[in-house]
Amino acid sequence: MEKTLLARHAEVLVTMDEARREIADGALFVRGNRIEQVGTTADLPSSADTVIELAGHVLLPGLVNTHHHMFQTLTRVVRPAQDAELFGWLKALYPVWARMTPDAIRISALTAMAELILSGCTTSSDHLYAYPNGSRLDDTIDAAHVIGLRFHPTRGAMSLGQSRGGLPPDALTESEDAILRDTARVIETFHDAAPRSMLRIGVAPCSPFTVTEDLMREAAALARRHGVRMHTHLAESADDVAFSRERFGKTPAEYADALGWTGEDVWHAHCVKLDPSGIALFARTGTGVSHCPCSNMRLASGVAPIRAMRDAGVAVGMGVDGSASNDGSQMLAEARHAMLLARLGGGAAALSARDALDIATRGGALVLGRDDIGCLAPGYAADFVAFAVDGLRHAGAVDDPVAALVFCGAGDVAWSVIDGRVVVADGELATLDLRPHIERHNRMAREILV
């Protein structure tokens, strides 16, 4: 018999449903791994196998992270890369990443996942594009299983080394036949297309300056044969655009479209330099975008035209990007920075707090091709988080506690439930002992920096 869970007496329950309802004294009732009822506390059952009391909390759908490089938690604030822009930053870090091992990939992924979960994330993608020393995508999948995160790992790749005009050192690249074989292997082994699936695989050649046009075409064909989604970096910086124009004679959006990399099964990271014609192309084809404001500021890449994208009908989700270019994996902080950054060039109404939360929940679900997460409604996966709003950080923010999560910022989640399982209880991560894990992670970081 399926167990039940009741979360009740939330100060506000944010549904993110079609009507964007916000319910005072809100509650939700879960059976197994799916939401069965949502409403006021008075209207829902009064008992369950597990009851979570949420007075003084805002309850909302679990946040959805659409772009990350989890292995980079091992190389935060590395000195030679601290003050570099994208290409210089990559060149400084490639030699360090070449020392990673399978254990390093797994440990770094657990670190990123723990940080994401504690910041309100319940579903995350990951773009692993370097596989040195026997590393495999399997290493990150194992980490997700251990910690309990709903996971969309993508099989990234680099095949265009420096000797052939690409950016990465040849030692970090793979042959294209090997890339395609292993991509097919991980899809056939792990991909689960069922409703409320905990694991879906994507196909993700790294970027225009790290792979060939042939690999982009073949990867797209492979993804569509298997019915999985496609992801890559695009139009991230001025250098990125210049590379596309010089090597291919096209803008990044034109390059992507020519190779089959537009459509409802595709999402691109960054798109800081996506021009109006590119925005129109993405809107027309249903191509999604992962917005990574902290990374874009950190690397001085620019301000992505998110308001213009949303106005045109482009699906936009939130991404924290790698922890070496963001230096954190904190989803609610990313939403806050998205709101603030949009206002710099677009005015005070360019992106509201609720817009930012929408991008981080429903928007992310849409970008990942999910119609079963990102919303608190009957039939959806039981993924939800609760933040306390009765402490010092939110003192005085009584008029709108929902917006306060973005304007005032928030600490760690008080509660996180993923697939009906309590993963964070009273602020404590239940699925990973953090103290010994952090010690091991830091030992690993020191080893690869040597």
Side-chain angles (χ1 to χ4, degrees), residues 345-374:
L351 202 71
S352 72
R354 283 172 174 78
D355 288 338
L357 289 175
D358 186 89
I359 292 171
T361 53
R362 287 182 66 98
L366 181 60
V367 162
L368 293 183
R370 304 290 301 239
D371 59 4
D372 53 0
I373 62 172

Side-chain angles (χ1 to χ4, degrees), residues 6-76:
L6 174 66
R8 65 186 182 186
H9 293 303
E11 182 165 341
V12 182
L13 184 154
V14 181
T15 65
M16 284 296 172
D17 62 11
E18 290 296 331
R20 302 301 194 271
R21 290 181 304 148
E22 296 179 4
I23 303 170
D25 191 20
L28 60 80
F29 185 81
V30 171
R31 189 178 302 277
N33 69 346
R34 66 194 180 280
I35 298 170
E36 193 168 275
Q37 298 180 59
V38 177
T40 64
T41 298
D43 289 338
L44 265 63
S46 59
S47 63
D49 294 315
T50 300
V51 178
I52 302 173
E53 300 288 352
L54 293 178
H57 294 73
V58 171
L59 175 63
L60 65 159
L63 307 183
V64 179
N65 176 35
T66 59
H67 185 63
H68 207 335
H69 308 294
M70 293 182 176
F71 70 90
Q72 292 178 9
T73 57
L74 288 166
T75 55
R76 302 193 226 226

